[in-house]
Amino acid sequence: MNLTIQNHLLFAGGKQVPYRATPNRSGIMNPDTIIDHDTASNPLDPSGDIGWLTMPVASASAHVVIDWRGGITQLAPFNVQCWHAGPSKYGNRYNFNAFAIGIEHDNPGYLRKIGEGIYSGVCVIDTNRNSEFRVARVATPEHGDHYWLAYSEKQIAASAALHAALKAAYPAINTVLGHFHICPGRKTDTNPLFPLSHMQAIVRGEAGELPPPIKTKPEPQAPVTAKPSFLPDATVIADSLNLRGGPGIQFAVKGAIPYGTRIDVQEKDQLTGWLRVVTPFGATGYVHGGFVRLD
Ligand SMILES: [Zn+2]
């Protein structure tokens, strides 16, 4: 998909993408961040969420909506503040609407299993009737333990192309976050199957030519490679801290580290807070940074 941005408007193959103006916008901004969202709507009914995001009563909007088939509709120029983030905080920054572009992806959000291959949430997702639908159960500390609809290949390809086009038009963009990062406890979008780390790599110029992964399963156990030496730089502050095989509670517990143990933190995932660590007993694995005090 050949996406370009001219005068803060989006073009695909030289032709402006459909534009539906939203009144839910405020002043001019210089974007340096992208926030990825889900619409929490029926993926096969793209008209619903665009209708809602362009109504004054919604008091909500985003710059673009990417539908299930990969079609993109723009609702406001990229240098105008839209109302997609709400009260928000990440690191030492607040009020993400003031500097972040909002991308909505048609996806229903969390689902409950109500039958074999049938799931319910804001709509019914029947994988028996629609072979395009792939649903996986995934638990993360930020999302909880639910069933989620995998994004479609076309949707992810369009989203990746858009992230790249935005970076080209606004070189200051260096951060990609999910709505759940900036509104913890209040938001769970994008869902855990969204390839956020790939989108982050795109804006950092690190993604290369690889197409974005279409995730239908939790990420496999991350490989652990130990540093040759043990250089403790943190202290466990939980009574008994689970050491896991990967960065998330969906990964198996490999052991427990007692309170006060000195550990070596080798890597920190700034997005999720998970740490890759080595224990004094030579074990390697992952712990959540909330239970560790760094020196
Ligand atoms: Zn959102």
Side-chain angles (χ1 to χ4, degrees):
M1 186 180 292
N2 178 22
L3 295 181
T4 52
I5 294 165
Q6 295 164 39
N7 214 5
H8 313 293
L9 298 174
L10 184 64
F11 292 77
K15 191 166 169 279
Q16 193 183 352
V17 305
Y19 189 89
R20 292 272 311 276
T22 181
N24 304 323
R25 47 183 270 184
S26 23
I28 297 293
M29 67 162 179
N30 292 313
D32 64 26
T33 298
I34 295 172
I35 302 296
D36 283 305
H37 297 264
D38 294 340
T39 52
S41 66
N42 184 342
L44 298 183
D45 177 19
S47 60
D49 51 87
I50 292 171
W52 174 246
L53 294 171
T54 53
M55 276 157 68
V57 66
S59 287
S61 60
H63 293 86
V64 291
V65 178
I66 303 181
D67 67 38
W68 182 254
R69 309 261 167 249
I72 305 179
T73 302
Q74 186 168 9
L75 311 183
F78 292 118
N79 67 332
V80 162
Q81 295 182 31
C82 282
W83 304 347
H84 57 97
S88 46
K89 177 182 188 299
Y90 187 78
N92 53 6
R93 302 188 87 187
Y94 294 82
N95 186 23
F96 277 66
N97 286 342
F99 50 83
I101 290 169
I103 302 177
E104 292 279 357
H105 303 81
D106 276 338
N107 189 286
Y110 72 86
L111 302 168
R112 292 186 317 276
K113 188 170 184 173
I114 57 171
E116 213 35 66
I118 308 175
Y119 305 86
S120 168
V122 294
C123 60
V124 171
I125 296 293
D126 188 341
T127 62
N128 307 308
R129 297 176 123 205
N130 191 329
S131 58
E132 283 181 280
F133 287 152
R134 288 164 298 179
V135 171
R137 180 177 174 178
V138 185
T140 79
E142 297 83 8
H143 295 86
D145 183 359
H146 299 288
Y147 289 89
W148 310 92
L149 178 65
Y151 300 83
S152 78
E153 219 162 300
K154 284 180 177 162
Q155 205 173 21
I156 291 302
S159 187
L162 178 58
H163 282 73
L166 287 167
K167 174 67 179 180
Y170 306 98
I173 291 176
N174 58 11
T175 304
V176 179
L177 296 167
H179 202 181
F180 67 89
H181 285 119
I182 62 171
C183 303
R186 185 167 74 83
K187 294 291 178 181
T188 58
D189 62 320
T190 48
N191 89 35
L193 301 173
F194 188 78
L196 261 180
S197 53
H198 188 88
M199 301 306 176
Q200 176 75 61
I202 287 174
V203 307
R204 287 190 184 150
E206 296 164 357
E209 297 299 305
L210 285 175
I214 302 302
K215 291 163 74 176
T216 54
K217 294 192 201 80
E219 308 228 282
Q221 183 164 315
V224 174
T225 46
K227 265 199 292 203
S229 55
F230 173 70
L231 298 167
D233 54 6
T235 306
V236 171
I237 55 170
D239 277 350
S240 172
L241 178 57
N242 285 332
L243 180 71
R244 292 184 181 271
I249 58 168
Q250 70 271 30
F251 294 97
V253 174
K254 299 170 74 176
I257 315 174
Y259 177 89
T261 304
R262 298 283 293 154
I263 57 173
D264 179 359
V265 175
Q266 301 204 315
E267 206 176 286
K268 176 169 187 182
D269 185 327
Q270 299 294 345
L271 296 185
T272 65
W274 283 82
L275 309 174
R276 183 158 64 84
V277 303
V278 180
T279 73
F281 320 108
T284 58
Y286 292 79
V287 300
H288 196 272
F291 306 110
V292 166
R293 188 176 63 236
L294 300 173
D295 290 356

